[in-house]
Amino acid sequence: MFNLNIIKLHDLVLEAAETERRMPEPGKLAKIKTYWPDIKAEWLAYAPNATTTDLARATSHQISEYDWLMEMIGKLGSDDRRMIWMTAHSAVFRLRGPAWAKLSRIMKIDRRVIKKRYQDSLIMLLYLIKRQP
């Protein structure tokens, strides 16, 4: 994390939001599964429209980066934390980046102002990280 800049920090925040989505819900017990799945007798049982895919689980490296980033973001003010996480979660699994228009409707602020506040929050976070020994 020594060679960190705003762009890398933005990517790290987006990756942490994706990691948060990949982690299981707290308090929800995993179902006990066997190694041998039930095989359906029908030949159309595994048609492409009948199968569903889930998100892959978060790796240990992703979770450790997520924990470190949560610790750093926790030291920011509540407005900066909220701005970073709202923006990150609006951009998760989205090719076009954060949904600035949606965020502006939620916060009742112009989208350009929201983008500027997000950049300011990232700069605050970067200075906070650089100050850490």
Side-chain angles (χ1 to χ4, degrees):
M1 298 303 158
F2 299 107
N3 195 10
L4 198 62
N5 60 19
I6 294 296
I7 296 170
K8 289 179 184 177
L9 184 61
H10 170 72
D11 293 339
L12 191 65
V13 167
L14 295 184
E15 185 180 338
E18 287 181 9
T19 302
E20 191 171 72
R21 294 253 180 111
R22 290 177 189 272
M23 290 196 294
E25 294 178 22
K28 189 174 183 180
L29 295 175
K31 295 179 182 177
I32 298 174
K33 296 182 180 181
T34 60
Y35 288 113
W36 298 101
D38 294 333
I39 298 173
K40 297 181 181 178
E42 277 185 56
W43 66 278
L44 283 176
Y46 297 104
N49 59 355
T51 58
T52 59
T53 57
D54 293 333
L55 286 175
R57 292 183 182 174
T59 63
S60 60
H61 178 70
Q62 288 173 330
I63 292 174
S64 63
E65 281 187 352
Y66 170 79
D67 286 340
W68 176 79
L69 192 64
M70 286 294 104
E71 183 180 332
M72 292 295 122
I73 289 177
K75 295 177 181 178
L76 289 174
S78 63
D79 292 338
D80 291 331
R81 282 194 310 251
R82 184 172 182 236
M83 182 61 63
I84 288 174
W85 277 114
M86 283 180 64
T87 306
H89 277 286
S90 74
V92 171
F93 302 119
R94 194 167 178 240
L95 294 177
R96 295 183 64 191
W100 299 114
K102 184 178 180 181
L103 291 171
S104 69
R105 283 192 300 272
I106 291 171
M107 297 185 73
K108 297 176 179 67
I109 303 172
D110 189 38
R111 60 189 158 92
R112 292 168 294 211
V113 174
I114 292 209
K115 189 171 184 177
K116 174 80 169 86
R117 285 189 184 174
Y118 173 67
Q119 290 171 350
D120 292 344
S121 298
L122 280 182
I123 290 170
M124 292 286 291
L125 181 61
L126 183 64
Y127 285 142
L128 183 74
I129 291 170
K130 297 277 186 172
R131 260 191 346 206
Q132 294 295 319

